[in-house]
Amino acid sequence: MNAAKTCQPVGAMYAALGIHRCLPHSHGSQGCCSYHRSALTRHYKEPVMAATSSFTEGTSVFGGMANLTQAIQTIFTAYEPDIIAVHTTCLSETIGDDIPSIVAKAIEKGFVPEGKLVIHTNTPSYIGSHVTGFSNMVASMVKYLSQANPKSADTFNVIPGWVEPSDMREIKRILKAMNVPFILFPDTSDVLDTALDGERQFYPDGGTTVEELRRTGGSRATFALGHFASEAAAKGLNEKCSVPAHLLDLPIGLRATDRFISALHEVCGVAVPAEIEKERGRLVDLMSDMQQYFDRKRVALVGDPDQIVALAEFCADLDMRPVYIVSGTPGKVFETRVLERLEERVPEVKIANGAGADMFLLHQWIKQEPVDLIIGNTYCKYISRDEDIPLIRHGFPILDRVGHSQFPTVGYMGAIRLLEKMLDAFLSRKDRDDAEEKLELVL
Amino acid sequence: MSTETLNAADLKEQMLSAYPPKLAKKRGNQMVVNRKEGASEDEVPAIGANTRTSPGIITQRGCCYAGCKGVVLGPTRDIINLVHGPVGCSFYAWLTRRNQTRPPDEESENFMNYMFSTDMQDDEIIFGGEKKLAQAIREAYEIFHPKAIGVFSTCPVGLIGDDVHAVSRKMSEELGINVFGFSCEGYKGVSQSAGHHIANNQLFKHVIGRGTEVPEGDFKVNLMGEYNIGGDAFVLEEMFERCGITLCATFSGNSTIEQFERSHLADLNLVMCHRSINYIAEMIEEKYGTPWFKVNFIGADSTAKSLRKIADYFGDEGLKARVEEVIAEEMKEVAAARELHKPHLEGKTAMLFVGGSRAHHYQDLFAEVGMKTLSAGYEFAHRDDYEGRKVLPSIKVDADSRNIEELTVKRSEDEFRPEQQVRKAELTEQGFEFSDYVGMMPEMDKDTLVIDDISEHETEMLLRKVKPDIFCAGIKEKYGVQKFGIPCKQLHSYDYGGPYAGFKGAVNFWADIDRMINASVWKHLKAPWKN
């Protein structure tokens, strides 16, 4: 009930959009593709293009080979992408369609033009969550495209995880500021945050190119940000092309960003520029200026595991108490990682993930003992309104506000934005609730 | 900037040239230039509709499940809609269609803010999910004690052979409430349309006719195919009340299961969205004798026309007078709004590609302020929605439609009301039309381009070549259209505005269209140094 997760294919679709001139393809019924495109469009307020195998009752009996081969022909003729990234659905997985052999058939029939590619990933909707789907598609990019090439060994791979285009843009800014030559993949900046100037580009400028994806195999190391979304691809790269993997948390908040910057400094052998140090300093300055308003505030975190691990740590570093932690995405490692990051600072914490960990459960917990703040996706607004608790929208999907596409929450600057949003929530509440004689001008 | 007319035949050829030959032929059947030279008013060409979307096409269409759970059953507040399948299907249909509902008091049941799913895992795919489904029904009952639970099948359910109907029957017995299933797997049919039909069938089998309480009122109607998006049904409920017309049930905006159960006791069925609900109207007439006709409450003049038709049906002078009073009263505000907005909108051009009735109905709203529709089409409608019900006998039933159950309905021996059919016969003789739908195309201008199940490629070409002043579609098209600098009005979600039905709706709609077309932002797309 009131799930805190959705199904794999939508994550695969989002990841595929981070490849330059790629058309994601949903191998299943039309509704899957329609629902995923709608969900992503509502979140990003941008066109989200993807095609579907349009299964019918006949297809579900005889298999999806005819549909997918025809789809490949039509897509390359009418929509001319450089690459098609196929993901499966619960329907085609239950049928047992073998995508590589279908693609081979399409190639044999001449439906894949010279120099164009079709890759695929399996995303059975009845396993894992949307985060699993994202992870699977990124791992497939490695499986299909990465090539070991020692000659080009000056780059570092960065797998940003399922974060916003604004976050990917910010990670690139940090890497440039640090003088790290990098390949970021996938990269949805300039794909899902494009300009309006009266000219529609069906395939926008952004996205990691196929050429860059090939070169990931020759990089010196991979930084995988977020265990759930990025580890599989980083491990795959290490196995396939012997690129050492460094698994880090998403750089959300002070210390997770510290670890990211330290890792870049140590692994890439680059100095940390004054620009970045000053950003850190400004964040710490704000944390000390406003510490009193965060201290002992109870907060509920609900959403995707990689985000929550980092958010929990940041909240605790602000002396807040992240007391309820819920993620629909299964995986035993989640609880361990959250507890590690909390460092025994919040002994009363309740953590649930996987089966039964949903927003209904969170609502019950909040009813038993309320919190001062909820951080989660738009669906939390019903709990927020019922219980009169402020909500900061973070994660997927955000259907009713903008900002996530424009302003990052990663890095020190992102942490400043998060801090400002939390502070605003607490102080607006205080201004609203304070008695007339207690209303403070200066805070 | 807008082109007054378009060279429809030429455009069609250009659109088709991008496709592989076989696909071009198929798509060609689904694009027609409306009315040939010298054709009479009601003579329209045949269009290909309700056929499969070719794989690889970027289509607007969704699936059978979306039509069944999302569209028809979604708006009823006191039935728990439990989706049997992996988590996604239920997640995406969770509150995304803006069906508003207004329980009479705090204690009244409203489950619409909740999302229920069996969250099927790989074990259930392998060993079957019936046990988990039964358990989920039991849990939902224990927490909420609803009057009814609807169970909706998603794609894998049909494949692994879970029998949602048997589980529903068993749980009905165990819990003593109405539990009923829908075999609305996403792959059935060719679009949402199959799901509408399945929803109609199951409501007719399991819900309609169970009520015995006759609502009070002299003129009792059901409003069918009105889903209360943005509060449309609220506007119409209030309008009916002022006219003295009693609403037994709305299918299904702002509705309760009790309304459905008693809906067979109404005197007349009014069909708004012909595509999604005509089956129930037909079946009720067959079994209980209640006649139906098509109404359109989108557009002020259209609303007045439909209200007058209802009054004429009942033939009561008091009702006719009240209807005229309401129309006169409402038209004051409508006239003021028209006067305000028409100078900004007259002569502007529109294109509408949406749904199974909206692409037709909303043309009335545009026409009432002097706007021209250049091109239109439905997402999931059938030929009768384009060409009119007169083509029904000539529609070939293909394999995809044959798989959707057609209920055989028999006249009810004790509940059939012959007097209603007598009234229908009398009025028919006077030229009154029943069981009617004239369709979209006869009401569109000559040389307009009608496109069924429009693709992203075709949409782009229309925008590039014709540049209409406004394009109406859904969320998936919205931001792509606007990248061309052309405003896109969502006619599924109304861009979170509305209501747009009835007289008040027309006033809202014109204000919104005026605001959108004449928004300042469109003047600033190019940086000043690029001009």
Side-chain angles (χ1 to χ4, degrees):
Chain A
M1 200 190 303
N2 298 358
K5 65 168 179 183
T6 181
C7 63
Q8 283 208 44
V10 73
M13 188 181 281
Y14 178 58
L17 289 163
I19 304 176
H20 184 59
R21 290 186 62 81
C22 173
L23 192 72
H25 182 84
S26 163
H27 187 54
S29 295
Q30 264 159 208
C32 308
C33 188
S34 180
Y35 275 135
H36 302 145
R37 289 179 62 206
S38 298
L40 292 169
T41 304
R42 290 183 184 116
H43 179 89
Y44 293 105
K45 311 249 178 282
E46 285 287 310
V48 172
M49 291 299 124
T52 162
S53 289
S54 294
F55 274 37
T56 60
E57 193 141 10
T59 323
S60 71
V61 176
F62 300 113
M65 178 180 276
N67 289 50
L68 185 54
T69 41
Q70 193 188 344
I72 289 170
Q73 183 194 24
T74 298
I75 290 168
F76 280 124
T77 316
Y79 297 105
E80 301 176 321
D82 286 352
I83 176 169
I84 298 174
V86 180
H87 60 261
T88 57
T89 57
C90 47
L91 178 55
S92 52
E93 285 289 333
T94 308
I95 296 169
D97 276 347
D98 179 33
I99 308 298
S101 68
I102 300 176
V103 172
K105 196 95 185 164
I107 293 171
E108 200 179 290
K109 283 188 161 181
F111 291 164
V112 181
E114 190 73 32
K116 307 264 177 166
L117 294 167
V118 182
I119 63 171
H120 101 284
T121 200
N122 293 93
T123 47
S125 318
Y126 42 79
I127 296 173
S129 76
H130 55 296
V131 181
T132 323
F134 180 93
S135 166
N136 286 345
M137 181 53 88
V138 184
S140 284
M141 293 176 196
V142 168
K143 200 173 107 196
Y144 273 91
L145 302 171
S146 300
Q147 294 173 353
N149 181 2
K151 280 179 206 154
S152 66
D154 61 335
T155 52
F156 293 88
N157 302 321
V158 181
I159 307 175
W162 185 333
V163 291
E164 307 292 351
S166 56
D167 295 317
M168 303 206 187
R169 197 182 289 287
E170 177 68 1
I171 290 168
K172 288 194 286 187
R173 186 189 67 86
I174 293 169
L175 293 167
K176 279 179 202 154
M178 298 276 293
N179 267 320
V180 175
F182 65 89
I183 299 169
L184 181 88
F185 76 99
D187 180 3
T188 57
S189 62
D190 289 320
V191 178
L192 290 171
D193 58 352
T194 64
L196 170 56
D197 62 3
E199 305 290 335
R200 163 103 191 265
Q201 272 180 278
F202 192 84
Y203 298 105
D205 293 336
T208 316
T209 62
V210 169
E211 184 48 38
E212 287 169 322
L213 286 168
R214 287 192 174 121
R215 285 196 286 111
T216 54
S219 289
R220 288 168 59 191
T222 302
F223 299 100
L225 310 183
H227 179 98
F228 282 81
S230 305
E231 187 183 20
K235 273 192 169 166
L237 250 175
N238 193 16
E239 278 160 26
K240 185 178 177 188
C241 307
S242 306
V243 183
H246 299 271
L247 183 61
L248 298 164
D249 286 342
L250 276 181
I252 294 176
L254 175 68
R255 287 205 288 168
T257 306
D258 280 350
R259 288 192 294 274
F260 177 50
I261 301 291
S262 301
L264 293 175
H265 168 63
E266 285 158 22
V267 177
C268 313
V270 292
V272 180
E275 177 190 346
I276 299 286
E277 283 181 352
K278 281 183 179 166
E279 284 171 13
R280 182 182 193 279
R282 292 202 293 273
L283 167 62
V284 175
D285 184 62
L286 255 179
M287 286 169 71
S288 79
D289 291 348
M290 294 298 174
Q291 191 270 347
Q292 60 177 316
Y293 303 112
F294 294 104
D295 188 52
R296 278 175 296 149
K297 287 282 195 295
R298 289 163 55 83
V299 55
L301 303 174
V302 54
D304 298 342
D306 293 335
Q307 271 79 359
I308 289 181
V309 167
L311 281 172
E313 183 184 35
F314 187 41
C315 287
D317 289 342
L318 286 160
D319 298 317
M320 294 163 72
R321 309 196 75 79
V323 285
Y324 304 142
I325 289 178
V326 173
S327 177
T329 300
K332 286 193 184 112
V333 69
F334 176 70
E335 187 171 341
T336 321
R337 292 186 78 87
V338 170
L339 290 173
E340 241 173 65
R341 293 300 173 221
L342 287 180
E343 296 169 343
E344 294 172 8
R345 287 174 288 179
V346 192
E348 71 273 35
V349 65
K350 285 185 174 179
I351 304 174
N353 78 308
D358 52 32
M359 294 200 195
F360 189 73
L361 171 75
L362 177 67
H363 199 164
Q364 299 306 308
W365 282 353
I366 290 175
K367 275 189 182 299
Q368 284 157 17
E369 200 180 348
V371 290
D372 301 296
L373 178 68
I374 303 167
I375 302 181
N377 69 24
T378 287
Y379 284 102
C380 294
K381 80 198 254 181
Y382 292 90
I383 305 176
S384 162
R385 187 180 154 110
D386 272 5
E387 308 302 329
D388 191 25
I389 295 168
L391 164 67
I392 291 177
R393 286 159 179 79
H394 194 267
F396 181 83
I398 297 174
L399 308 170
D400 59 341
R401 293 291 189 277
V402 293
H404 49 283
S405 284
Q406 291 74 28
F407 307 108
T409 57
V410 298
Y412 300 120
M413 296 308 291
I416 290 176
R417 174 163 185 259
L418 265 177
L419 186 153
E420 188 248 348
K421 277 179 88 92
M422 288 194 271
L423 194 61
D424 193 37
F426 292 138
L427 298 186
S428 299
R429 180 58 51 126
K430 178 174 157 58
D431 286 346
R432 190 195 78 177
D433 293 347
D434 275 350
E436 196 74 28
E437 69 280 8
K438 291 283 185 189
L439 184 64
E440 297 287 346
L441 175 72
V442 184
L443 288 169
Chain B
M1 144 151 172
S2 75
T3 320
E4 280 281 313
T5 54
L6 73 174
N7 189 340
D10 197 39
L11 249 176
K12 177 180 165 179
E13 287 315 308
Q14 287 184 46
M15 284 175 184
L16 295 177
S17 68
Y19 292 133
K22 241 173 91 182
L23 176 57
K25 186 161 175 269
K26 184 185 179 299
R27 287 300 302 148
N29 292 331
Q30 289 172 271
M31 296 179 188
V32 299
V33 181
N34 200 29
R35 267 178 279 178
K36 295 182 197 90
E37 202 60 47
S40 70
E41 269 305 293
D42 59 351
E43 197 185 332
V44 290
I47 186 166
N50 193 34
T51 56
R52 292 178 189 178
T53 303
S54 289
I57 288 281
I58 302 182
T59 173
Q60 298 183 333
R61 283 179 172 176
C63 64
C64 181
Y65 158 82
C68 183
K69 193 274 180 190
V71 175
V72 180
L73 268 298
T76 308
R77 64 175 165 265
D78 58 355
I79 301 176
I80 283 188
N81 287 342
L82 173 61
V83 182
H84 186 37
V87 70
C89 303
S90 192
F91 184 86
Y92 303 114
W94 185 12
L95 287 167
T96 44
R97 270 185 59 83
R98 296 194 72 228
N99 309 113
Q100 300 181 355
T101 199
R102 194 185 278 155
D105 50 57
E106 287 269 314
E107 276 69 48
S108 301
E109 291 169 319
N110 177 14
F111 306 120
M112 281 172 61
N113 291 350
Y114 295 94
M115 167 269 192
F116 299 92
S117 165
T118 55
D119 189 12
M120 206 179 236
Q121 299 295 304
D122 44 352
D123 270 0
E124 283 100 43
I125 296 287
I126 300 163
F127 302 111
E130 291 184 3
K131 250 190 219 159
K132 194 173 193 184
L133 172 60
Q135 188 52 30
I137 294 172
R138 210 172 279 127
E139 272 174 34
Y141 178 76
E142 280 162 9
I143 298 173
F144 295 103
H145 295 98
K147 296 184 198 80
I149 297 176
V151 176
F152 299 84
S153 307
T154 62
C155 290
V157 169
L159 239 61
I160 63 174
D162 276 3
D163 187 344
V164 298
H165 306 288
V167 175
S168 297
R169 265 194 309 275
K170 199 184 111 216
M171 294 312 291
S172 239
E173 282 163 24
E174 181 184 319
L175 304 173
I177 59 165
N178 193 359
V179 184
F180 44 100
F182 296 83
S183 289
C184 55
E185 288 85 350
Y187 54 75
K188 291 204 168 151
V190 300
S191 69
Q192 292 94 310
S193 179
H196 303 147
H197 196 163
I198 290 165
N200 278 230
N201 287 349
Q202 298 306 86
L203 280 177
F204 194 76
K205 270 199 265 185
H206 296 286
V207 182
I208 294 167
R210 292 166 69 111
T212 49
E213 199 186 320
V214 187
E216 280 176 34
D218 295 327
F219 317 108
K220 296 188 284 288
V221 303
N222 295 319
L223 181 58
M224 302 193 150
E226 162 50 62
Y227 301 106
N228 202 24
I229 291 174
D232 280 350
F234 296 149
V235 171
L236 301 180
E237 284 169 13
E238 195 239 12
M239 184 178 80
F240 282 172
E241 200 180 323
R242 283 169 62 201
C243 293
I245 299 165
T246 305
L247 201 51
C248 287
T250 301
F251 285 85
S252 49
N254 195 30
S255 65
T256 60
I257 189 165
E258 192 189 358
Q259 290 181 16
F260 294 164
E261 286 170 343
R262 72 185 187 199
S263 60
H264 63 301
L265 302 170
D267 305 319
L268 174 66
N269 284 325
L270 307 170
V271 171
M272 270 283 278
C273 174
H274 173 259
R275 182 67 272 133
S276 60
I277 211 83
N278 74 85
Y279 318 95
I280 284 184
E282 288 276 289
M283 290 187 285
I284 288 184
E285 176 158 9
E286 198 67 43
K287 186 167 177 184
Y288 303 103
T290 320
W292 70 270
F293 56 75
K294 178 81 179 67
V295 290
N296 177 19
F297 293 114
I298 301 296
D301 297 340
S302 312
T303 301
K305 194 174 150 195
S306 294
L307 276 180
R308 288 187 176 118
K309 184 162 179 178
I310 298 166
D312 286 344
Y313 170 80
F314 287 108
D316 179 89
E317 292 308 319
L319 175 63
K320 283 186 187 174
R322 275 197 305 280
V323 161
E324 289 307 326
E325 266 170 45
V326 169
I327 293 173
E329 184 62 30
E330 294 281 347
M331 278 297 186
K332 284 184 214 156
E333 201 193 338
V334 168
R338 215 185 306 225
E339 202 177 318
L340 176 66
H341 299 296
K342 198 170 175 181
H344 308 158
L345 297 175
E346 193 159 25
K348 301 276 187 197
T349 56
M351 294 183 178
L352 304 89
F353 292 93
V354 62
S357 66
R358 291 176 191 272
H360 179 198
H361 290 162
Y362 278 77
Q363 292 185 29
D364 288 5
L365 265 174
F366 285 125
E368 288 177 17
V369 284
M371 287 178 66
K372 249 175 98 81
T373 298
L374 297 179
S375 187
Y378 296 122
E379 183 180 337
F380 48 74
H382 301 193
R383 276 184 62 200
D384 38 325
D385 306 294
Y386 284 105
E387 302 166 55
R389 281 178 69 93
K390 63 177 189 297
V391 300
L392 275 174
S394 66
I395 294 180
K396 286 192 206 108
V397 180
D398 63 12
D400 297 310
S401 296
R402 205 170 296 125
N403 289 336
I404 311 301
E405 187 187 12
E406 279 285 347
L407 294 187
T408 318
V409 179
K410 281 202 195 113
R411 181 173 288 200
S412 162
E413 279 179 20
D414 44 350
E415 289 181 291
F416 188 84
R417 292 154 70 192
E419 74 279 7
Q420 292 187 311
Q421 287 296 308
V422 173
R423 176 86 186 134
K424 178 180 171 180
E426 280 168 18
L427 285 167
T428 306
E429 215 153 276
Q430 296 165 26
F432 204 93
E433 298 213 32
F434 288 95
S435 311
D436 57 328
Y437 181 34
V438 61
M440 173 203 275
M441 284 160 67
E443 298 197 340
M444 281 181 73
D445 285 347
K446 217 171 83 177
D447 292 328
T448 48
L449 184 57
V450 181
I451 306 177
D452 179 58
D453 183 22
I454 195 170
S455 72
E456 186 65 27
H457 156 70
E458 293 148 11
T459 301
E460 262 207 61
M461 194 153 263
L462 279 179
L463 295 166
R464 271 184 211 284
K465 301 276 174 179
V466 190
K467 292 191 170 46
D469 293 297
I470 194 154
F471 193 92
C472 302
I475 184 71
K476 299 193 291 295
E477 296 75 38
K478 165 112 184 156
Y479 301 103
V481 172
Q482 296 199 159
K483 292 287 180 201
F484 286 104
I486 295 166
C488 180
K489 182 74 198 162
Q490 291 186 64
L491 287 187
H492 292 286
S493 72
Y494 302 171
D495 293 317
Y496 326 105
Y500 292 148
F503 302 104
K504 295 203 164 50
V507 172
N508 289 340
F509 188 74
W510 296 328
D512 282 350
I513 297 301
D514 191 352
R515 170 183 59 71
M516 289 177 81
I517 290 184
N518 297 304
S520 304
V521 66
W522 306 120
K523 300 186 193 90
H524 307 297
L525 304 189
K526 293 276 177 239
W529 55 89
K530 284 204 166 163
N531 278 337

